[in-house]
Amino acid sequence: MAPITSREQQQIDQANASDRTPVVLIHGLWLLPNSWDNWAGFFEEAGYAAVVPGWPGDPESVEEAKANPDLFARQTLGGTAGHYADVVGKLTKKPAVIGHSFGGMLAQNVAGRGIAAATVSISPAPYRGILPLPFSALKVASVVLKNPANRKRGVGLTLEQFRYGFGNAVSEGESRQLYDAYSVPGPGQSLFQAATANFNPGTEAKVDTKNPERGPMLIVGADKDHTVPWAIANASYKQQRKNPGITEITKFTGRGHSLTIDAGWREVADTALQFIKRFA
């Protein structure tokens, strides 16, 4: 288990001291915790305590990440999910958990452990049992999957690849701004794990959807998302709605995979807040 960093411990301590309900924000592939900066402030203003852990080994800045892509080489889904569960376990109040993309999958994994008060899974990456494989999702993943050696590397997106995978529903200028501000290499290992999940019974790309202690869950999708198309988000919902807990889904129109970081982030954040207010 990766150790909790001093920054993460400080956030945990502050959340516990505040006596507010924590909101744990989990970023996805090709991003860092700074991608949640706007959301953290938004939830703090709404009366929650924002906790924004990184994946194990995440560098502190986008600049450091781009200069050292292999810092991401050893990140695995099992280790990352365990790290987030460890962070949640140190909070004195059961938190709400929000994740985007691979973070959306990890949020579902945390919820499946019965340790979340409520969960919002935004454009969740596929896990074992999710069968749709739309072309656009394969095109984005092929950046990593086309070379088996990438399993042991950190692999970044070019500006053009980011435009297709994240920024296709915003202007070219905004997509470039988002790329410069947020885009970093991602762990090839994690993408390979997700891609082979349905062929590997022991995969780490898995979620316990049956745990009755899972708690309420909202799944969010976007109709123009190339990386996690609506078919994947809806398949995730179909898996989760078998749970005895409340399971809901909502679709944003005219939005792509950048919906948590682009100029329209507040609408998505408010949808998450309204759901969480009902339960946490």
Side-chain angles (χ1 to χ4, degrees):
M1 189 72 66
I4 289 175
T5 67
S6 58
R7 182 185 66 83
E8 291 167 344
Q9 187 62 56
Q10 183 179 25
Q11 291 185 5
I12 292 166
D13 292 342
Q14 288 173 343
N16 289 341
S18 74
D19 202 36
R20 295 177 169 192
T21 298
V23 174
V24 176
L25 297 157
I26 306 178
H27 73 80
L29 212 66
W30 294 308
L31 297 172
L32 288 177
N34 76 313
S35 61
W36 290 118
D37 284 353
N38 287 328
W39 287 63
F42 178 83
F43 275 92
E44 289 278 347
E45 289 177 9
Y48 292 87
V51 180
V52 195
W55 290 34
D58 270 358
E60 287 295 317
S61 69
V62 170
E63 293 74 21
E64 184 184 354
K66 288 179 175 177
N68 300 281
D70 286 337
L71 288 173
F72 300 91
R74 297 186 182 278
Q75 290 176 335
T76 64
L77 292 176
T80 303
H83 180 68
Y84 281 101
D86 192 26
V87 169
V88 170
K90 293 184 179 297
L91 294 166
T92 54
K93 282 192 172 183
K94 209 173 190 180
V97 179
I98 301 174
H100 168 247
S101 194
F102 266 80
M105 177 217 290
L106 291 164
Q108 292 189 40
N109 180 289
V110 169
R113 300 173 188 233
I115 56 177
T119 303
V120 180
S121 177
I122 304 166
S123 297
Y127 47 84
R128 184 170 175 81
I130 303 298
L131 301 180
L133 284 171
F135 170 78
S136 68
L138 290 171
K139 181 175 178 179
V140 174
S142 71
V143 172
V144 174
L145 300 178
K146 64 185 177 182
N147 184 354
N150 285 338
R151 185 185 291 271
K152 297 182 179 180
R153 295 173 177 162
V155 183
L157 301 175
T158 65
L159 179 62
E160 182 181 9
Q161 289 165 343
F162 182 87
R163 172 74 166 148
Y164 182 83
F166 279 76
N168 60 296
V170 300
S171 69
E172 187 172 352
E174 184 178 359
S175 182
R176 176 182 287 273
Q177 290 174 342
L178 296 174
Y179 179 77
D180 291 340
Y182 299 116
S183 182
V184 298
Q189 176 79 301
S190 295
L191 201 52
F192 273 94
Q193 287 177 306
T196 59
N198 286 322
F199 308 102
N200 177 12
T203 183
E204 294 181 356
K206 62 185 178 181
V207 169
D208 181 356
T209 60
K210 297 179 181 179
N211 185 353
E213 301 301 316
R214 185 209 68 184
M217 180 176 291
L218 172 66
I219 293 173
V220 176
D223 68 337
K224 291 189 175 181
D225 194 327
H226 282 166
T227 300
V228 181
W230 173 253
I232 293 178
N234 195 43
S236 192
Y237 167 70
K238 288 177 179 178
Q239 290 284 329
Q240 290 286 1
R241 71 179 178 182
K242 300 171 187 176
N243 189 282
I246 292 168
T247 307
E248 298 177 6
I249 189 168
T250 190
K251 180 195 286 188
F252 281 89
T253 57
R255 305 296 298 276
H257 201 60
S258 67
L259 75 169
T260 57
I261 55 174
D262 61 33
W265 68 268
R266 189 179 292 271
E267 182 185 12
V268 186
D270 190 62
T271 297
L273 173 63
Q274 296 312 314
F275 182 82
I276 289 168
K277 273 184 173 180
R278 290 161 55 192
F279 306 107

